[in-house]
Amino acid sequence: MQQVPQFRGGVVSGSHAQAVLRLERVGRVHGGGAGEVSALCEVDLTVHAGEFVAVMGPSGSGKSTLLALAGGLDRPTTGRVLVEGVPLDGLSRRRLADVRRRSVGYVFQDYNLIPALTAAENTALPRELDGASARTARREALAALAELGIGELADRYPDSMSGGQQQRVAIARALIGERRLVLADEPTGALDSATGDAVLEVLRGRCDAGAAAVMVTHDPAHAAWADRVVFLRDGRITDESVQQRIEAVR
């Protein structure tokens, strides 16, 4: 059986029946006139506490757009997005930044690490911005990096790491603290199969502790770690399936 990750400073509280993320008839249009492109169209999606959802679909189907809207990095043209019951469209820029920092962990496809900061400093940054002491933030960051198998990289800078190592630092940064929602855009894309499985086990454990996670992936083997798979095509949800959860053997 899987172990709940220990680096988060405590198990996430709350009922597993709670809706952590809701997309209600969400649409996103880019451009206008003859150049108008509909990236998402009337998408309804609810993800509950304790649930791990995988999103699949061909390139250009709207997967990354869905994640950006769910994390408040972009705003929908129509519909609304709610995180823990709070509509993101009604928030000021400052309040939206607070929600993203405290409630949402985001794993970017291009890592988005700050070159001038070490692995530990990149990982600790959200906690420090949220008011944690430097000592507390570093301690949690070191534990998060160790959980992902890269504790020895704590004082290395991004330009001295491989792509896979940078990706795991980005994942550690998304998981530090007690975020209720984890959004991951191809989090295993630069990893070998064994390391990818280890990362997915950490994400699975996060959900078992009571958080919600949405992961974009092209790999059916990785999607098999999720409770539910949602399929996108041309900006619309075309199908979804509930599946037997993988139990990792340690």
Side-chain angles (χ1 to χ4, degrees), residues 175-212:
L175 295 180
I176 194 172
E178 296 190 9
R179 270 86 166 256
R180 294 277 290 164
L181 176 63
V182 179
L183 304 171
D185 198 351
E186 295 283 359
T188 58
L191 306 177
D192 60 57
S193 58
T195 305
D197 283 347
V199 165
L200 290 167
E201 187 173 359
V202 171
L203 290 175
R204 177 72 259 177
R206 177 74 170 194
C207 294
D208 290 345

Side-chain angles (χ1 to χ4, degrees), residues 1-4 200-201 204-205 208 225 245-250:
M1 294 290 291
Q2 298 162 339
Q3 298 177 347
V4 175
L200 290 167
E201 187 173 359
R204 177 72 259 177
D208 290 345
W225 285 81
R245 211 187 84 185
I246 281 185
E247 291 289 346
V249 178
R250 299 183 71 91

